[in-house]
Amino acid sequence: MASAQERAELDSKARQGETVVPGGTGGKSLEAQEHLAEGRSRGGQTRREQIGTEGYKEMGRKGGLSTGDQSGGERAAQEGIEIDESKYRTG
């Protein structure tokens, strides 16, 4: 846990627009960045619970293929990369 002085320094940097907490991008203060990072982490865990670990990995593979002008699915089809969407567990 950071001391009060360290937290004050980190908060000052955050208020100047610097990201001081991993996953806290966009937060305008140290506390805001901490909350953003926690929510993003929890969101990923919830999604993994919803679609299963294997489905979550496949979703990541598909997302990693996306470009500015093509979705991951379009690019996978174009390059012949198989994405097994049956791994997306539902219900």
Side-chain angles (χ1 to χ4, degrees):
M1 193 68 166
S3 70
Q5 182 180 353
E6 290 171 328
R7 287 188 62 79
E9 289 172 10
L10 290 173
D11 190 53
S12 175
K13 287 181 180 181
R15 290 181 188 279
Q16 293 172 9
E18 190 176 326
T19 301
V20 294
V21 176
T25 305
K28 303 297 181 199
S29 68
L30 176 60
E31 186 177 0
Q33 288 189 18
E34 289 170 339
H35 286 290
L36 282 168
E38 183 180 331
R40 288 179 177 144
S41 173
R42 199 170 336 142
Q45 291 169 358
T46 300
R47 172 63 69 205
R48 187 170 45 241
E49 290 167 6
Q50 290 171 339
I51 66 173
T53 301
E54 288 297 315
Y56 191 72
K57 288 179 183 177
E58 283 296 297
M59 189 175 72
R61 274 186 65 213
K62 186 175 180 180
L65 293 170
S66 65
T67 62
D69 58 338
Q70 285 184 312
S71 72
E74 291 170 341
R75 183 156 171 238
Q78 178 185 15
E79 296 187 15
I81 299 169
E82 188 174 323
I83 302 292
D84 186 1
E85 293 188 5
S86 69
K87 292 182 179 179
Y88 297 178
R89 183 187 74 211
T90 57

